[in-house]
Amino acid sequence: MPDTRPDPDELLPLPPAAFHILMAVADEPRHGYAIIQEVAARTGGELRLSAGTHYRSIQRMLEQGLLLETRERPAPELDDERRRYDRITPFGAAVARAETRRLAHLVRLARQRGFAPGRA
Amino acid sequence: MRFYRLLLRLYPAAFRAEYGDDMQALFAEGRRAAAGRRAGLLALWIEAVADVLRNAVPAHWDILRQDLRYAARALASAPGFALTVVLVSGLGIGANTAVFTVLDAALLRPLPFDRADRLVKLWERLPGYGRLEASPANYRDWRNATTAFESIGAYRGLSVNMVGRGEPRQLDGAALTADVLPMLGVRPAIGRAFTPAEDQEGAAGTVLLSDGLWRTAFAADPAVLGTRVLLDGAPHVIIGVMPREFRFPGRDAALWTPMRFASADFEDRDDNFLHVIAKLEAGVTLARARDEMAVVARRLEREYPAANTNTGIAVTALRDGVSRQSRLLLFALAGAAACILLIACTNVANLLLARGLARRHELAVRSSLGAGRERLARQLLTESVLLAAIGGAAGLAAAALVLPALEQMVAMALPIAGEVSIDARMLSLAIGLTALTALGFGVVPSLRACSGTALTGLAESTRGGVGGSRERLRGALVVVEVAASIVLLIAAGLLIRALVRVQATDPGFRPDQVLTLRTSLTMPKYEATARRAAFYERVLSEIRRLPRVTGAAYTSFLPIAMGGGIWAVQVGERPQDRTQGHTASLRQVTPGYFATLGIPLRLGRDVSEEDTLERPFAAVVSESFARRYWPGENPLGRRFRIAFQERTVIGVAGDVRVRGLERTSEPQVYLPHRQVPDGGLVWYAPKDLVVRSAGDPAALLPDIRRIVREVDPEQPVSDVQLLSDIVASDTAPRRSQLRVLGVFAATALLLAGVGIHGLLAFTVSHRTPEIAVRMALGARTGDVVSMVVRDAVRMALTGVAIGGALGYAAAKGIQGLLAGVPAGDGWTFGAAAVLALAMALAGSVLPALRAARVDPTMVMRAGS
């Protein structure tokens, strides 16, 4: 785990899976299945993370300091003790913001070139 | 579910430990969602399998990358350790790669011919004589009698003067029957091969060029086909150029002509000059071919009792052209290289064990932070593999550097390219050795480092780790190193003794300050004896007039450079039977040959210019010849038959080691060069010039070349050599083998010393508190020093005992290389033991001094 946090921009562009996972845990810690469900729902079923892809992304993001495994757990009747919960770190939020900025800038540039959706 | 758990095993253990439960839960939820629907369940499984297959390898790669990064950091923080390990393992890998590459080229790799495994050579075999080339008559009868072979052909070595473009050249090559090239499956790169019609007497002369000759003498001109050249004065048309990699029968063959037999060639069955090569019929074994040829040999014995009594037929694989001695030498070197690798591995294992101990604290911290045992072992193994890989690369580079020096050990006589190059086989060998090395020195230390005791390092602080099984293991590794280096020292020592013994052998002549060169007189131009004699007389008298020249003469062949030229001898009424070893090495010489070479004339006189065909046939014989046939009698005036004539002994000369310093030679017979009828014994026509000088003999060369040119401008001069170099070349393979083995032995000794030093230094530093307590309790400095030195001597003595026994076994194995030095040579064993003890003492000096300087008060205070 790196001691000194690098510049968020160094991790850009973020892989789509990682970006989606960050969005899924933006407001509360979630476990793997919940994240996958959330991502699928958010994208209207377009992006379905497979288990392997999901957990490799989680592993990489933990190493990069974007996520942290958390001990906060929901009420026991809602919990499965085999599950692990991950939450976003401040650095993860900073990286997500930087990626949003990057994408927004990209979209702005594309619109200026006349690539706005809906126009022929 | 069990199947899914099994599937998850494809992921790295650490990944599984972290996410395995989660993934199973996820999969269970997917199953619940698809419950009851067959199609849904199937899709779930397909997706799960594809998902694991897609992600398992990247997951491993993620961890490997992490480990490599960590390993690189760890090694960079201990550069001395990393450098030592890389150098030591590189040495082991490099030595083995180089030696095995040479071994592969010389012994293992199939020859570059079609169905090379079915190619054999056929020889005549005589008791007490070994293998002998075949006579044309026997060759013809073998051809007609056998069914075991798909085809049989013959060739003979050729040495010709070529006059074509540029300077006249002296070239080696071979005369081949038309069957040989198709049998080898080789076609010319340009042009065509020989046709059977070209084998016939009287056919127009044709010649095939080697790629090398085509490039050097004909500037790689593709229009060379049809060009006429003179070979020994006879016109030959160039009909083709052979492929670059074609080397047959030996490495230096430059051209090939068709083999022609004259009907006279078939008359004498004792005229052995044909190399017979054959290809086994598909499905016929070597053993069956041998059985069949034995039957043929018995029949020929009955039909031609005079010449073929006791004559067998030997069938040998073409691949086995390497002599037993060079084979033994290569195996000895391979053994030595394996010893080096063993020593390197034990040394590195010891270094890693010590480092593992020193890193226990770090490992314990990582373990307490949640790194699993498997994860740590994997990390350590990655470090070893990384080290070994760098070492392997270093070794490969080292091997490439030393290969040219080892190439001399591949026999010239093999039909393969001289350059031994690094290829895929060598690379894979290096990779294999690297993996072996990494496992050899990586696994045990990493397993030990991760065993229970190591992980309790936090609680144990920095003490301990000495004593018990761990130190015994490290001590045993050092003993292995000492033993292996003793084996190498003994082998190298014995070979040094053998070399000294061989070099001390008297060749029978004085080789220093003699220049030799060859003027092979062209036939048929010089077929007339008088014409040759005129050439010799003019050249020699001019040379003798040069300043500082003290002698000059011509002979058929130089001793050692040429061992053949053997004739049957008949003395008195005894029947001439070469099978009983009544043979002599025959030479024609000009007067002054014995004086020029420094061969002592014991009795009678030298040959003279008056010994012509008008006078009785004369001969000078060697002492061993006289002793054999007229023991205790005066040999002068005695008569014997050799080379078609009865001759009278006019002189007795000292024995010469014609076949080299290490082989027994036939007795020698010298004939006056004028007592040969025109066109007779032309192969023996003197061609080698010897000139003795009171000054530097090499300085005479320009004048000698000028003189030869003035006498015959078309006559090339070749094979310029000092006689002393010819004698030295006889021991050259010995010296190069000794150099390699000597370097190996020195390296091994040094590594063993480093190993002893490393172990003792480590032990002393870890036993400092104990030493301090002893000193506080009254132990003197001398006691402490002797404690350390005793350890070193004990390990060295154990190593010497084991290594001595193994060394004796190894020496027995290489007895054939020892030139009569006994395998149990006391001096060698003693010297090896003394060297190993000296190395052990040297290795213990620094640790002992450090132990002696331990200050009890400082240590006790630090420990409290």
Side-chain angles (χ1 to χ4, degrees), chain A residues 1 3 11-12 26 28-29 32-33 52 55-56 72 77 82 88 90 95 104 108-109 111 113-114 120:
Chain A
M1 204 177 294
D3 294 330
L11 292 181
L12 303 189
E28 53 169 343
Y33 185 60
Y55 286 107
R56 269 189 56 233
E72 294 169 36
E77 65 275 16
R82 287 182 299 179
I88 195 165
V95 171
R108 209 162 44 242
L109 283 179
R111 279 186 196 284
R113 303 302 300 169

Side-chain angles (χ1 to χ4, degrees), chain A residues 31-34 36-37 48-60 62-63 69 73 80-86, chain B residues 1 4 11 14-15 18-19 21-26 28-30 32-33 47 51 54-56 58-59 62-63 65-66 69:
Chain A
H31 60 81
Y33 185 60
I36 291 172
Q37 296 284 33
R48 294 191 58 88
L49 295 174
S50 73
T53 311
H54 171 69
Y55 286 107
R56 269 189 56 233
S57 300
I58 295 282
Q59 189 190 31
R60 170 96 42 99
L62 282 167
E63 269 166 40
E69 190 180 351
R73 303 190 78 95
D80 175 342
E81 62 175 18
R82 287 182 299 179
R83 286 175 181 159
R84 42 171 298 143
Y85 285 75
D86 294 299
Chain B
M1 207 62 202
Y4 189 70
Y11 283 107
F15 187 87
E18 196 71 11
Y19 306 108
D21 285 351
D22 247 37
M23 292 173 86
Q24 282 179 49
L26 203 58
E29 266 166 277
R32 262 197 300 284
E47 196 193 312
D51 182 43
R54 200 170 54 235
N55 284 295
D62 284 346
I63 290 192
R65 235 180 15 205
Q66 226 177 50
R69 219 177 308 130

Side-chain angles (χ1 to χ4, degrees), chain B residues 162-166 169 171 207 209-224 227-229 238 241 255:
Chain B
M162 185 182 81
V163 181
R165 292 194 195 165
R169 288 160 194 263
L171 297 168
V207 60
L209 305 182
S210 72
D211 182 82
L213 180 62
W214 179 56
R215 284 172 199 283
T216 53
F218 298 92
D221 178 5
V224 76
T227 305
R228 275 164 58 103
V229 292
I238 297 173
V241 178
L255 49 78

Side-chain angles (χ1 to χ4, degrees), chain A residues 1-108:
Chain A
M1 204 177 294
D3 294 330
T4 49
R5 288 283 143 80
D7 182 6
D9 287 341
E10 277 180 19
L11 292 181
L12 303 189
L14 215 50
F19 198 25
H20 279 291
I21 292 172
L22 283 181
M23 286 191 276
V25 295
D27 25 278
E28 53 169 343
R30 286 183 205 266
H31 60 81
Y33 185 60
I35 295 176
I36 291 172
Q37 296 284 33
E38 164 77 17
V39 170
R42 199 192 301 275
T43 60
E46 238 172 67
L47 182 65
R48 294 191 58 88
L49 295 174
S50 73
T53 311
H54 171 69
Y55 286 107
R56 269 189 56 233
S57 300
I58 295 282
Q59 189 190 31
R60 170 96 42 99
M61 291 164 79
L62 282 167
E63 269 166 40
Q64 290 170 333
L66 303 179
L67 297 179
L68 206 59
E69 190 180 351
T70 175
R71 299 221 170 103
E72 294 169 36
R73 303 190 78 95
E77 65 275 16
L78 295 174
D79 191 21
D80 175 342
E81 62 175 18
R82 287 182 299 179
R83 286 175 181 159
R84 42 171 298 143
Y85 285 75
D86 294 299
R87 69 171 173 77
I88 195 165
T89 63
F91 178 65
V95 171
R97 272 195 299 277
E99 176 71 357
T100 310
R101 229 179 358 257
R102 187 185 71 84
L103 289 173
H105 181 62
L106 202 63
V107 169
R108 209 162 44 242

Side-chain angles (χ1 to χ4, degrees), chain B residues 602-640:
Chain B
R602 306 281 187 211
L603 280 176
R605 64 168 176 92
D606 189 1
V607 301
S608 88
E609 298 292 357
E610 275 76 55
D611 293 319
T612 59
L613 281 171
E614 285 75 50
R615 304 279 300 272
F617 285 100
V620 173
V621 301
S622 67
E623 282 179 293
S624 53
F625 189 96
R627 237 189 347 262
R628 170 155 195 191
Y629 294 108
W630 306 287
E633 301 169 40
N634 182 1
L636 294 182
R638 301 284 187 154
R639 294 156 155 267
F640 66 100

Side-chain angles (χ1 to χ4, degrees), chain B residues 6 162 168 216 246 350 352 356 364 588 714 730:
Chain B
L6 222 61
M162 185 182 81
T216 53
F246 182 68
N350 244 342
L352 280 174
Q588 287 181 34
E714 282 186 359
D730 195 42

Side-chain angles (χ1 to χ4, degrees), chain B residues 22 84 94 102 146 274 326 395 512 540 548 583 617 642 741 799 815:
Chain B
D22 247 37
T84 313
V102 173
T146 59
L274 284 184
S326 23
D512 43 311
L540 290 175
R548 305 181 75 86
T583 52
F617 285 100
I642 192 168
L741 207 58
Q815 187 96 63

